[in-house]
Amino acid sequence: MKNLFSNIKGDAFGGITAGVVALPLALAFGVSSGLGPQAGLYGAIFISFFAALFGGTPTQISGPTAPMTAVSMIVIAGIIATNDGSVEKALPAILTVFLLAGIMQIGLGAIGLGKYIRYIPYPVVSGFMTAIGLIIIITQVLPSLGYYPKEDMTYVDTFKPEAEELMLENILKEEAGEGILVLEDFKVTIDRAVKIMPEDILQESKTLAGKNASGALGALKVIPRAIKNVNWLELGLALGTIFIVFGFKKITTKIPSSLVALVVMSGIAVGFGLNYQPIEEIPSGIPMPQLDMFSNFSLGSVTPYIFTALTLALLGAIDSLLTSVVADNMTKTKHNPNKELVGQGIGNSIAAVFGGLPGAGATIRTVVNINAGGKTKLSGMIAGVMLLIILLGLGPIASRIPAAVLAGILITVGIGVMDYKGLKAIPSLPRDIKFGPIKFSSEVVIMIVVLLLSTFWDLIYAVGIGLIIASLMFMKKIGDLTGERSGVKPLKEESWDDEADFPKKLQEEVFIKHLKGPLFFGSTSDFQNLTLQIPDTASTVILRLGRMQYMDQSGLYAMEDMLQELKAKGVDVLFVNLLKQPRYMMERIDIIPDFISEEHIFKSFKECLSWIKQNIKNTH
């Protein structure tokens, strides 16, 4: 805390800028979740402030994110469906899930789970992030077309028979709970059924219509109907928003393009008095605690939601710590992963009490904060306060924002969150597994399995299945390699015998590093620290790769990032005894020859030493 006010000017500018960037996204995430724009704002306010105050990444800006909102949207829709389609009835249970998720995150940080997040393989993360992008894009097509299933009475009417059947079934369940036998007292059943009003059937039909059109799969079913009933005004607002978001970035990145799109398109809609669909009204005043969630709180009442809460907690942990790594790379610092989880948990818990959406570390907002001068946790706290000021001062104005504009912003978020680096690599990755006569890449299989299961089934189950597949494939590969090299024992990090004649006068110029064992998703974190071991005096790095038998996609990109960083510093890298599989992987994405030319790859250390003596001069 002693350094909290060491960079007040930079933190203030960074926090204010990040808060402004967060505004349209918070509103959009709130609307898409089903809880309303205020839920997104409340989540952004409290998570940003408290996750920064108690977290372990000084420059991180937290709040509702695309992955957390995608999962929250499914949770919210499921709980609302079991509460007669009423958000008010479902809200205590929904917020209880969010609160449990925050408490679980605190627990995950307390037991030290943060350090294990790095073991998630790249293909799993890639498939998951691309799925998040697809889910957001697909689910926002309907509001972009101005189509809302619950308002299409022709569509709603198709669910009336199912609604009547469901309501009768509920009556029979109630009677069974009361000990009433239908065969003995059928009159009671008839009396209760007669009391069902047309309005009740209509409301239940709307609930079923909304549930049937929810999620990516539900939206895909309804999109053809939405196209036939398109509202051209709403579509125009959404397309205009998308055009400005992408187009304004080409003019300048100093002003958030999503904010420009929000202001311009909302101004057009309001200024010309267009007949558009606005977002829900944002309550004015300071957010108040939702104490109803504690009124019927008991162990039995929360038990059904424990796994759901754990899902959110784990996703928030992964989302936040990935952003922390981005912040580390930009600031050349090291975050505290367990402390970060505790901070995120506290932020999510407090946000839940005030009716806010859960969130995590937000990459774009964090990058904006750092670029604007933010260096300490004060910047995240200022971002939260900035959003609170906007809520208090501009709440009534924000309530007039067109829903189609926020849908357009979310579509751009979905496009941006997809992992194009992983998708572009699909054709070039080696095909190392065989199904019948056809060969596939294990990395691509994992990515596609996670992508499809996440998009059309369940996000967390998809990640779990992806991890299991990745682990099994990795164990098989390492088992095969270990069997081939079983006589080789681990070596200590010391000079090898053939390095005894290395010229002492060049020891400051040349740094030798021995890589032993596979470079895979579990070892990339340590490998990324390699550049920190290289002394400032070194102009050349020799990587001895004879003991690195295997490299996966995560290791491949870690190697690419390291070589890119060394190249930027003007440091030459030489490879010695590069084995077949790692070489094949590096050739597939042009690390060889773009970063390492053939002239810098040597079969033996003796050949490399000869090149060193001829080309490296002692400058010290």
Side-chain angles (χ1 to χ4, degrees):
M1 296 296 289
K2 62 182 179 181
N3 296 322
L4 186 63
F5 300 104
S6 60
N7 183 48
I8 293 179
K9 184 178 179 180
D11 289 337
F13 192 61
I16 291 171
T17 306
V20 171
V21 171
L23 175 62
L25 297 178
L27 292 170
F29 288 141
V31 170
S32 68
S33 72
L35 289 186
Q38 74 279 0
L41 266 180
Y42 295 169
I45 290 167
F46 291 105
I47 299 171
S48 179
F49 187 90
F50 289 102
L53 179 61
F54 296 104
T57 312
T59 55
Q60 181 134 286
I61 304 294
S62 303
T65 62
M68 291 294 280
T69 303
V71 175
S72 299
M73 186 167 44
I74 297 169
V75 172
I76 292 165
I79 297 177
I80 289 176
T82 59
N83 284 270
D84 303 324
S86 171
V87 176
E88 290 73 19
K89 289 182 181 179
L91 189 59
I94 292 169
L95 297 181
T96 298
V97 173
F98 295 166
L99 176 61
L100 285 174
I103 294 171
M104 287 178 179
Q105 279 187 321
I106 296 173
L108 294 175
I111 63 176
L113 190 72
K115 61 185 177 182
Y116 295 107
I117 299 297
R118 69 174 182 262
Y119 292 108
I120 297 177
Y122 182 86
V124 175
V125 176
S126 176
F128 179 80
M129 294 308 296
T130 301
I132 290 296
L134 285 176
I135 290 171
I136 292 173
I137 293 169
I138 293 170
T139 55
Q140 293 308 306
V141 168
L142 298 182
S144 294
L145 295 172
Y147 181 80
Y148 302 90
K150 291 184 178 181
E151 297 178 8
D152 183 354
M153 298 314 299
T154 306
Y155 181 65
V156 170
D157 286 343
T158 62
F159 291 92
K160 281 189 176 180
E162 185 181 346
E164 292 172 354
E165 182 181 336
L166 184 61
M167 296 178 82
L168 181 58
E169 189 179 310
N170 290 336
I171 289 174
L172 295 176
K173 286 180 180 178
E174 289 176 11
E175 291 180 353
E178 296 170 8
I180 299 173
L181 296 177
V182 177
L183 293 177
E184 292 181 2
D185 199 353
F186 196 65
K187 186 176 182 300
V188 175
T189 305
I190 295 174
D191 290 341
R192 291 185 176 182
V194 168
K195 292 180 181 178
I196 297 176
M197 304 299 291
E199 294 81 6
D200 299 326
I201 297 173
L202 179 61
Q203 183 59 45
E204 184 65 31
S205 300
K206 287 184 176 182
T207 300
L208 291 173
K211 184 179 180 181
N212 190 64
S214 65
L217 196 57
L220 285 174
K221 294 178 187 175
V222 184
I223 284 176
R225 188 179 187 90
I227 293 173
K228 293 178 181 177
N229 296 275
V230 62
N231 183 317
W232 295 104
L233 171 61
E234 303 283 335
L235 178 59
L237 290 173
L239 291 177
T241 301
I242 295 170
F243 176 79
I244 293 174
V245 169
F246 288 124
F248 194 79
K249 288 179 181 178
K250 296 181 179 180
I251 299 173
T252 179
T253 56
K254 292 183 179 180
I255 303 174
S257 60
S258 58
L259 183 66
V260 174
L262 180 74
V263 172
V264 171
M265 296 309 297
S266 299
I268 291 173
V270 175
F272 286 94
L274 303 180
N275 184 23
Y276 64 89
Q277 174 103 357
I279 62 174
E280 298 175 35
E281 185 176 352
I282 301 174
S284 58
I286 296 176
M288 300 302 294
Q290 301 290 318
L291 301 179
D292 290 346
M293 60 190 294
F294 299 108
S295 58
N296 296 315
F297 189 86
S298 65
L299 185 60
S301 65
V302 300
T303 301
Y305 305 119
I306 287 178
F307 183 74
T308 304
L310 181 60
T311 296
L312 277 170
L314 290 173
L315 175 58
I318 296 168
D319 203 3
S320 297
L321 294 181
L322 288 175
T323 302
S324 295
V325 171
V326 173
D328 286 350
N329 291 336
M330 292 185 67
T331 60
K332 306 304 178 186
T333 57
K334 188 72 175 174
H335 73 280
N336 183 327
N338 295 319
K339 188 177 179 182
E340 182 60 33
L341 289 188
V342 171
Q344 292 292 334
I346 292 173
N348 278 315
S349 299
I350 295 174
V353 172
F354 284 88
L357 280 181
T363 305
I364 294 175
R365 279 160 268 178
T366 300
V367 170
V368 167
N369 176 43
I370 294 170
N371 289 337
K375 291 183 179 180
T376 77
K377 56 182 61 182
L378 182 63
S379 58
M381 297 163 67
I382 290 174
V385 173
M386 177 69 184
L387 287 169
L388 179 60
I389 293 171
I390 292 173
L391 169 67
L392 297 177
L394 302 177
I397 297 174
S399 297
R400 301 178 67 184
I401 294 172
V405 170
L406 293 187
I409 290 173
L410 279 176
I411 287 175
T412 65
V413 171
I415 293 171
V417 83
M418 294 170 69
D419 181 37
Y420 297 101
K421 185 176 184 180
L423 292 173
K424 287 179 181 177
I426 288 177
S428 58
L429 290 174
R431 299 179 179 186
D432 52 359
I433 58 175
K434 192 174 182 181
F435 290 116
I438 306 174
K439 285 187 175 182
F440 296 91
S441 165
S442 58
E443 311 273 355
V444 173
V445 169
I446 295 167
M447 185 190 306
I448 292 176
V449 166
V450 174
L451 169 60
L452 294 177
L453 292 180
S454 296
T455 305
F456 301 112
W457 184 41
D458 184 279
L459 288 159
I460 297 303
Y461 282 133
V463 171
I465 291 170
L467 287 173
I468 292 170
I469 296 173
S471 300
L472 291 174
M473 288 184 174
F474 173 74
M475 285 189 287
K476 183 183 182 304
K477 290 175 184 176
I478 295 304
D480 293 343
L481 290 169
T482 304
E484 295 173 7
R485 305 285 298 270
S486 58
V488 179
K489 297 181 180 179
L491 300 174
K492 294 181 180 179
E493 186 62 39
E494 57 186 12
S495 297
W496 292 356
D497 293 340
D498 56 357
E499 296 170 11
D501 296 328
F502 192 89
K504 292 185 178 180
K505 62 181 181 179
L506 295 179
Q507 287 181 353
E508 288 187 7
E509 306 285 341
V510 180
F511 177 78
I512 302 174
K513 176 64 180 177
H514 313 97
L515 296 185
K516 296 161 284 189
L519 182 58
F520 69 110
F521 59 83
S523 61
T524 53
S525 179
D526 293 333
F527 179 77
Q528 287 166 348
N529 292 327
L530 172 60
T531 52
L532 301 177
Q533 303 171 16
I534 300 172
D536 295 335
T537 56
S539 61
T540 304
V541 172
I542 299 174
L543 293 184
R544 304 205 60 178
L545 306 173
R547 305 286 184 180
M548 189 185 78
Q549 310 97 328
Y550 174 75
M551 169 188 283
D552 72 355
Q553 193 177 4
S554 300
L556 181 66
Y557 289 135
M559 175 70 78
E560 182 186 39
D561 291 341
M562 184 272 290
L563 292 174
Q564 196 166 20
E565 187 172 345
L566 290 177
K567 185 177 181 180
K569 293 180 179 179
V571 177
D572 292 324
V573 178
L574 310 178
F575 282 176
V576 176
N577 196 16
L578 177 62
L579 299 181
K580 184 178 178 180
Q581 193 273 345
R583 180 180 183 121
Y584 179 66
M585 290 288 285
M586 287 190 269
E587 286 176 343
R588 299 301 286 177
I589 66 167
D590 295 326
I591 286 179
I592 300 172
D594 288 356
F595 289 101
I596 305 295
S597 64
E598 289 292 343
E599 292 77 18
H600 286 177
I601 301 175
F602 303 94
K603 292 182 179 180
S604 67
F605 185 74
K606 184 177 180 181
E607 292 180 9
C608 179
L609 183 58
S610 175
W611 187 92
I612 289 288
K613 290 178 179 178
Q614 293 177 22
N615 293 276
I616 305 298
K617 296 181 181 180
N618 178 22
T619 59
H620 296 278

